[in-house]
Amino acid sequence: MDLKQPIILCGFTSSGKTTIGQLLAKELDLPFFDTDQMITEQNHMTIREIFDKGGEALFRDMEHKIASQVCQLGPAVVSTGGGMLTFDRNGKLLAKHGLILYIDRPFESCYRNLSGQPDRPLFRDHTREELESLYNERKSRYLTYASRTVKNNGTPEDAVASVLKLLG
C-alpha cells in the first residue's frame, strides 16, 4: 500500500483512537502522532493549563495550528483530540489533506473507560447525561468528515484489522 497522506483517527474521548493508532502505525511501519500531545509539547503546558490561561478559545486556536501541521506530515497515523473535528475549519482542512477514519465505540464503553480516569477534564466537568449528549452531538460531526467508520466494539487489534481491510 502506497500512502501519500496521513491516516487521521477521530472519535469521542476514550474511543480507542490512541491505542488503535499506535498499533496501526506499528503495523504499517509509519510514525504515530497524537494531536493533544503535540499541543502540550509545543506549548509547554498541559491542556488544563492552556484552558486555565486562555479558555477553550486559546486551546482551539492551538489545535487549529496543529491541524495545519498534520496536513504536512505525509504518510503517518494521527490520533486527534475528541473535539478537533467538531470545528469546521479543522474538519475541512484535515479532510482535504488526509484520510479520516471515525473510531465508533459505543458510549457505554467510552464512559466506563472515562470513569476509570476521574482526572480527565471531560469526565470531571460533566455529568453522565451531559457526556452522552456531547457524544451524540460530536458523532454527527465526525461522520461529516470521516470517509469511513471503524467499529471499536471488540479488541483494539480487531479494530486495526478492520482498518487494514478498509485500506486494502
Side-chain angles (χ1 to χ4, degrees), residues 99-114:
L99 172 67
I100 301 176
L101 303 178
Y102 166 46
I103 305 300
D104 184 10
R105 187 177 190 194
F107 173 74
E108 289 303 326
S109 298
C110 293
Y111 185 78
R112 193 169 37 255
N113 192 48
L114 267 175

Side-chain angles (χ1 to χ4, degrees), residues 36 38-63:
D36 284 346
M38 291 169 75
I39 291 168
T40 59
E41 287 175 0
Q42 290 182 25
N43 294 285
H44 308 287
M45 289 187 277
T46 66
I47 291 173
R48 173 54 67 192
E49 289 168 340
I50 294 167
F51 270 80
D52 289 346
K53 178 180 178 182
E56 184 176 5
L58 176 62
F59 177 77
R60 296 302 174 192
D61 285 344
M62 291 175 175
E63 188 175 60

Side-chain angles (χ1 to χ4, degrees), residues 139-158:
K139 183 173 185 168
S140 68
R141 305 303 299 158
Y142 303 142
L143 292 169
T144 298
Y145 296 107
S147 53
R148 300 286 171 93
T149 296
V150 176
K151 297 282 186 188
N152 183 19
N153 47 15
T155 67
E157 292 79 10
D158 293 339

